[in-house]
Amino acid sequence: MSTGGEVFVGRSYEIGALCTALDTTSSGNGRMVLLAGEPGIGKTRTASQLTKYATERHARIVWGRCHEEAGAPPYWPWIQILSAVATGKDTDELRRDLDGGAADIADIVPDIRARLTDFDPPSTLSDPSETRFRLFSSITQFLIRSSRRQPLVLVLDDLHWADTPALRLLEFLAQELAESRLMVIGIYRDTDLSRQHRLSDTLGALTRIPHVLRLHLSGLNPEDVRQFVTTTAGMALPNALTTAIHNQTEGNPLFVNEVVRFLAQQGRFNRDVLAVPPTIRLPEGIREVIGRRLNLLSPASNETLMVAAVIGREFALDILVRASHPLSERAILGSLDEAIAAHIIEELGSERYQFTHTLVRITLYDELRTGQRRQLHHAVGEALESVHRRDTKPVLADLAHHFRAAGMSGDVERAIDYTTRAGQSAASALAFEEAINLFQNALDMLDTRSSEDPDRRCSLLLLLGDAQRKSNEYDQALISFAAAADIARSRHNYIALAEAGCGYADITWRSTSHLDQRSALLLNEALDGLSPAEVAVRVKVMGSLARDRLHAGKVDEAKALASEAVGMARGLNDPAALATSLAGLADFPWQPSETEQMLAEANEMAEMGERANDLEVALRGHFRRASLMLELGDIPAAVEAIETMSRINTRLRQPFFALFELGLKATLALARGAIEEAEGLIVQNVKMRMPHKAHDPASLLIFTLRREQGRLRDLGPMVSMFVRSNPAVATWRPGLALLYVELGDLDAARTLFTELATNNFASVPRDGRFATCMSYLAEVCAAVGDTAHASVLYRLLSPWKGRNIVMGGGTGFWGSSDRFLGLLATLQGRWLDAERHFREALGMNERAGAFAHLAHTEHDYAAMLLTRGYPGDAACALVFLRKAGERAATLGLTMLAAKVAALCGRFDDPVSKTTGPDNLTSRELEVLRLLAIGRSNADIALVLRIGQSTVATHVHNILAKTDCANRTEAAAYASRHGLQAN
């Protein structure tokens, strides 16, 4: 009989598909293959056949195996993979490939932590989903960078046993590997899946990804079984026997293999005489054949294997020896040798073993009586404690599992302790779903005790609520925090009550669907109960209460609380507490009179965050600095703050802040009139946007960009429908009114403006968006000529005189407020005030390098002068119009260019006025003449010394104005109107 290990036949199609996927991956197009089938069908063996092919193509295969036992740590298959990938690198290469993600990955992979000790610990983030995104991104980028040197194949075996965090990481990686040399093979049993199984959701998500392939293995055909049996037995067997084996096993390779080995153990095969009777009863199922094979081993070997089955599919000799007391190590080694010879177990090296198939372990485990199981789990738990007495952290989940399964006197207490610690370890590794299960298990075990322990229950409920909050299970988290609060109140434990209240409040402000009054009640009750000496806790509660009051619309009360918390934090001499309390102030909108104070607080916030190594708070401080500097017109300081944000976020890697960093950069590009650069940054922003986030800077940026390009017509129906179907979106209503103006629908603009003007514009939110809304409405007011409300708008906007208009988050910048005040003063006929405002706006915009806003100001100033009509105003207006027209043409400000052309039509000015049919501007005529002789956009840009995106905008406008479908029709139009180039 063959003794060279498990044989393999068939599977040519599946192996071919895997080889093709590897070839595709090697060329830089990553692939994922999902390999499914029933137990024993050969999934793992099929994947292993790729090894030789991969070696020939200089690819590396790394395995990670999920365990069916409850004691595996979170992310276990990934920990194995990451450790193996890291092991193949020297220290310098490892550090390069980990890059900024070293601290994140080392937090869950002990081998990497042991090798690299010179990095800062990962910064704590307030949003757990951002923290986990950072971890997943770090792991993904490490694996992708590792695959650049040689193609990398990751095999995740037994995915049906994977924990939820491991599956979430798999889903994340699948989205990112398309343009890499990374291939992932996921192996799972499809017979074990129900609709409720956690893997089912993952498979649903993965199969929607184009580069994911699914393969299903079925049983071997009769000829393959015949070859398999002949190779395994080492001799040809009668056709009747191989046919019977195929019929009985349905071609399942594991079943076939176990049947043949069973017959061999019985001595049925002999090269001289085939000792197989004409009729023989074959085992009816895989469990039966495994059981009958085990019966052929000695009682001592079976006893040792039962202890090993309780430990798990893999087991270490030292644990087995201690758990098998009083058996000697020598006797145990003899039993293991017997099992190895029978192919029941196999050696892994370093005194570690594993069962040849998990069904072998399950068969042994299921044969144990309840009392035996409990005793053996107790023995294994004691053995683990003994071996890992210096550091139990790596085996906390194992210890929790075994003592929980033991359930003996004294074991429950240990099980609760280890389960709680395992849950805390899982939570720190961002495995929130696993932490929830462990904390719930601890609570369930607490119920089995005869005596009450309310303080411990309260502590566990707080841990459970926090894990549920971090996994976005908000409904369940609120229940847990409320239950913890009830116990804390009855025990007069106000510190616990404060923690419950802060957790409850955190959920209510993160999710508008959970707004209620309970968080404020809990926080106030905790404040009343806390002693004056507990300053740090009081600071935290007051900060949480301030945010709660802010989101409830009680701004003054919120600000008073936040300021008091800052004052108390200053007395603690604790940078972390001060940084956190200052961060609370960053949520508040500000009036221009408060800008300098807010700037000082932002600077202090950034400094304290860096001193406390709370980089998120530091980043938020610099973010606030950037917005404030934009308002003050100190653009170099704003740019420096944005660059600092970028450097910090290189370590944090928070998509939320990356979005706003891109938004700020796009805002500055729009202000400079760098339309092409701004559009590129906005495209990046849109690609990164996260639907679950309430704040999205992309929408406003797109609106501003399309307005400058004269393409708001593309957005009109969408914006109108969005605003009208979402009455709560008050911020966009002024934008919609401005949109109507730009589209020429002044009646609709006037109607909406009148609605908004009710009660002195009371419906416009008095928050960080207020100044933006006022600037929009100032333009609308001027366009529809509503003199009745101009004075109200002027009064509301006046506090920003001498400042720039900036959106609260800094991702909206409209230049000097004096431009808008000038528009309103013009409407009221206050000519000296209007001229003063426009002069101030020209200076502010020029100093800031806001050339797009400078051009708009020049146009508006010219319009005012023409309206006023003083002697010399027309000549002065023409000078400003020529400047505005030149800037608009150079920068590609199509909408402004059209406005300038319209005003120039009032002059006999061949340089500036519109000279072509269908209202074509002079620049559009130049582009059309070049287009008509077949010049490309790149050629036109070179001839006219403008950007290609500007040319594209002009071409778009030409086609729209002339009603031409394409460039060919435009050329014919030019010919008909005599517009050919000279």
Side-chain angles (χ1 to χ4, degrees), residues 504-518:
Y504 201 99
D506 186 77
I507 293 170
T508 60
W509 82 265
R510 285 182 187 277
S511 172
T512 55
S513 61
H514 294 92
L515 289 175
D516 62 33
Q517 299 298 316
R518 185 160 191 169

Side-chain angles (χ1 to χ4, degrees), residues 875-951:
C876 188
L878 183 57
V879 171
F880 282 121
L881 283 175
R882 283 179 167 172
K883 289 181 179 180
E886 289 172 4
R887 293 187 204 279
T890 301
L891 300 175
L893 308 178
T894 305
M895 179 269 291
L896 178 60
K899 289 182 178 181
V900 170
L903 270 185
C904 285
R906 296 163 63 174
F907 297 92
D908 184 18
D909 177 24
V911 176
S912 303
K913 75 174 188 176
T914 299
T915 59
D918 292 315
N919 204 33
L920 291 171
T921 67
S922 57
R923 178 64 84 182
E924 287 166 353
L925 288 172
E926 290 177 319
V927 172
L928 178 58
R929 290 187 180 100
L930 293 169
L931 181 154
I933 60 174
R935 292 293 188 95
S936 67
N937 284 8
D939 292 336
I940 296 171
L942 187 63
V943 171
L944 299 181
R945 298 183 180 180
I946 57 178
Q948 288 191 46
S949 64
T950 303
V951 175

Side-chain angles (χ1 to χ4, degrees), residues 458-494:
C458 181
S459 176
L460 280 168
L461 283 167
L462 290 172
L463 290 169
L464 175 61
D466 194 52
Q468 290 166 332
R469 176 184 67 83
K470 290 175 178 176
S471 64
N472 298 326
E473 295 183 17
Y474 289 153
D475 290 332
Q476 296 304 314
L478 290 176
I479 293 171
S480 298
F481 283 131
D486 289 341
I487 297 173
R489 185 183 297 109
S490 68
R491 306 287 292 176
H492 303 290
N493 185 344
Y494 294 104

Side-chain angles (χ1 to χ4, degrees), residues 831 835 839 861-881 907:
W831 307 119
E835 186 162 21
R839 290 285 182 184
Y861 192 2
M864 186 277 288
L865 291 171
L866 290 175
T867 303
R868 186 174 68 176
Y870 286 1
D873 277 354
C876 188
L878 183 57
V879 171
F880 282 121
L881 283 175
F907 297 92

Side-chain angles (χ1 to χ4, degrees), residues 35-45 47 63-69 76-77 80 155-163 166-167 170 185-190 192-193 197-199 313-314 354-359 362:
L35 197 57
E38 66 182 32
I41 204 67
K43 303 180 294 297
T44 302
R45 187 62 176 161
W63 288 69
R65 293 177 171 84
C66 309
H67 285 183
E68 74 272 29
E69 303 90 34
W76 178 237
Q80 298 169 72
V155 185
L156 291 100
D157 203 359
D158 291 325
L159 272 178
H160 47 279
W161 286 322
D163 57 90
L167 294 176
L170 179 65
I185 303 174
I187 301 172
Y188 66 96
R189 295 181 190 170
D190 51 3
D192 287 5
L193 303 186
H197 196 286
R198 54 181 172 260
L199 179 56
R313 183 179 179 186
E314 290 185 18
Q354 75 170 8
F355 289 95
T356 53
H357 198 280
T358 189
L359 287 178
I362 292 172

Side-chain angles (χ1 to χ4, degrees), residues 726-738:
N726 295 272
V729 189
T731 310
W732 266 107
R733 290 171 64 76
L736 180 59
L738 183 59

Side-chain angles (χ1 to χ4, degrees), residues 794 821-822 825 830-838:
Y794 186 92
L821 289 168
R830 294 162 47 193
W831 307 119
L832 290 178
D833 287 338
E835 186 162 21
R836 176 171 47 82
H837 283 307
F838 283 128

